[in-house]
Amino acid sequence: MAIRVERIPSKEALYERAVAIIEEVKAQGAHTFGLATGGTMEPLYAKLCDTSIDFSDAVSFNLDEYVGLDPTHEQSYNNYMHHHLFNQKPFKASYLPNGLATDATKEAARYEALLNEQPLDFQLLGIGVNGHIGFNEPGTSFDSVTHVVDLTPSTREVNARYFDSLEEVPHKAFTMGIQSILRANCILLIAIGESKRTALQALINNDYTEQVPATALTKHPNVIVLTDLVK
């Protein structure tokens, strides 16, 4: 099945469509939800919080988390999720890697084991300017599972806007691997803004290459892409 691309110029309408997709998969029995963070997801979570969708019987797994940040740190993804979603829409259980784990490699393996025990019904994704999904940067093996990554200078610079300075941005992060993501039954990718056009076009063109991690999705049977980029 080809990737389904829906081009919706209005961001308001695009996020409403994303909410409708999540509501639909939940109604169809989705129980485990893979979630993402970042500026792209904030309007989506705000809209979800205004709905009657009940996640209290569902389980969530986050794509990634910084290594070295306490879960209560203002810029941890644990804190982000509670602020933008969980405090308003609690799940039965919500899993994120432990940023303060003493052995990061063992923590990555623990998280991957949890994902295998509770397979994802749905995965939400954004896309980086360079085509990264999660923190899987260009060159990441398509066979990768949850692992620790060294954040590239460009990724740290992009994320520095959330910190007081670039120096405060962690150098490492946990991320679901490409294979971890591809195991989800349904994947929704949201691409907002002109800066995402090149990466998105590689995905739409079926340019299957590890230099653009998102193109791994071309081998998945059930991917929906929502974008405000018109042809």
Side-chain angles (χ1 to χ4, degrees):
M1 182 186 298
I3 291 174
R4 194 165 92 219
V5 180
E6 299 182 22
R7 298 179 183 272
I8 307 174
S10 162
K11 291 184 179 65
E12 181 77 13
L14 185 152
Y15 284 111
E16 288 176 358
R17 174 64 178 139
V19 168
I21 290 170
I22 293 171
E23 187 169 24
E24 181 180 355
V25 298
K26 179 79 168 54
Q28 291 173 346
H31 174 72
T32 48
F33 290 79
L35 302 178
T37 56
T40 297
M41 301 305 160
E42 291 178 20
L44 172 59
Y45 292 149
K47 283 190 174 297
L48 277 175
C49 289
D50 285 337
T51 70
S52 60
I53 302 174
D54 182 8
F55 291 104
S56 63
D57 61 345
V59 173
S60 72
F61 284 89
N62 261 75
L63 270 173
D64 39 34
E65 177 60 286
Y66 288 115
V67 170
L69 292 191
D70 187 283
T72 62
H73 189 284
E74 186 178 5
Q75 298 307 331
S76 75
Y77 289 148
N78 181 82
N79 185 70
Y80 172 105
M81 292 305 304
H82 279 84
H83 177 72
H84 291 290
L85 185 64
F86 296 158
N87 290 344
Q88 298 82 8
K89 290 285 184 182
F91 284 66
K92 180 180 178 180
S94 292
Y95 298 101
L96 293 93
N98 177 10
L100 293 183
T102 55
D103 187 322
T105 301
K106 285 185 177 179
E107 175 62 10
R110 182 193 71 85
Y111 199 69
E112 182 66 20
L114 285 172
L115 286 165
N116 279 295
E117 291 168 7
Q118 302 184 71
L120 294 174
D121 296 312
F122 173 85
Q123 177 65 60
L124 178 65
L125 294 176
I127 185 171
V129 173
N130 62 5
H132 74 242
I133 49 177
F135 274 128
N136 294 292
E137 298 286 0
T140 301
S141 170
F142 283 168
D143 294 326
S144 61
V145 294
T146 303
H147 58 287
V148 179
V149 297
D150 293 315
L151 300 179
T152 64
S154 62
T155 294
R156 292 185 67 248
E157 287 170 10
V158 167
N159 289 353
R161 67 186 187 275
Y162 300 115
F163 293 80
D164 291 335
S165 67
L166 177 61
E167 289 70 30
E168 292 185 14
V169 182
H171 288 266
K172 294 179 181 289
F174 296 103
T175 186
M176 286 187 200
I178 303 294
Q179 278 303 311
S180 312
I181 292 168
L182 292 179
R183 289 198 304 266
N185 291 332
C186 173
I187 295 174
L188 171 61
L189 184 146
I190 300 176
I192 300 287
E194 186 63 35
S195 65
K196 309 297 178 68
R197 183 180 293 277
T198 299
L200 181 61
Q201 200 59 50
L203 173 58
I204 294 171
N205 290 345
N206 292 315
D207 296 339
Y208 188 72
T209 170
E210 290 181 347
Q211 293 310 307
V212 185
T215 62
L217 301 178
T218 62
K219 302 299 184 183
H220 193 281
N222 189 12
V223 176
I224 303 168
V225 174
L226 300 183
T227 181
D228 65 338
L229 297 171
V230 297
K231 293 180 180 178

